[in-house]
Amino acid sequence: MSIILFGGGILQFDMDHAQLERLCIGLTGTTTDIKWGNDLCYLIGGKMYCVASLNVPMKVSLKVLPEEFGELTERDGIIPAPYMARNGWVFVEKSSALTTTEWKYYILQSYELVFNKLPKKTRMQIG
């Protein structure tokens, strides 16, 4: 885990695999699966809401709101997610592109966006 000091004096820790795992597994009903040989997928109701490369440095894809997509992809280290941009996913190439607070926000938001699209019966089973 590396420490970055931003211009405004904000202490930032780069997100790593262990931190991401704690955040995602802490969300109700989250399961994991390895897809495409080297990507750890976090799922809710069988649907992906977060995909992390198992390589270092870690790269992560998340679903975001349409109104946030443009703003996020203008940041250094965040691009439209290959194959998934049309569905509102971003690809975080540099974990320092988001603050710790933003990481928590966007992971939870991605979870909720996917959860809310699940069939009612599945949502009820998850809780």
Side-chain angles (χ1 to χ4, degrees):
M1 182 184 321
S2 59
I3 300 173
I4 300 169
L5 189 59
F6 286 102
I10 298 171
L11 192 61
Q12 169 67 38
F13 295 90
D14 278 357
M15 179 64 64
D16 63 22
H17 288 99
Q19 291 172 306
L20 183 68
E21 177 91 5
R22 280 192 297 277
L23 287 172
C24 291
I25 293 299
L27 298 172
T28 303
T30 293
T31 59
T32 60
D33 190 17
I34 303 288
K35 295 190 184 287
W36 310 292
N38 205 36
D39 290 316
L40 177 59
C41 300
Y42 295 95
L43 307 109
I44 182 67
K47 302 290 184 181
M48 296 182 298
Y49 70 88
C50 180
V51 180
S53 67
L54 293 172
N55 299 330
V56 176
M58 179 180 70
K59 296 175 182 177
V60 178
S61 294
L62 299 163
K63 185 168 181 63
V64 298
L65 293 171
E67 56 269 22
E68 296 168 334
F69 183 86
E71 174 194 328
L72 286 170
T73 55
E74 289 177 6
R75 290 188 188 188
D76 182 44
I78 302 177
I79 63 170
Y83 310 107
M84 293 298 288
R86 70 175 193 262
N87 296 317
W89 285 65
V90 296
F91 184 63
V92 183
E93 297 180 303
K94 297 178 184 175
S95 63
S96 61
L98 298 172
T99 67
T100 302
T101 301
E102 287 174 322
W103 271 109
K104 291 175 185 176
Y105 171 81
Y106 287 114
I107 289 168
L108 178 59
Q109 177 179 264
S110 185
Y111 169 92
E112 289 174 344
L113 288 169
V114 174
F115 178 84
N116 290 332
K117 293 263 183 173
L118 295 172
K120 184 176 182 179
K121 182 178 179 181
T122 303
R123 291 193 314 263
M124 298 286 286
Q125 290 171 340
I126 293 169

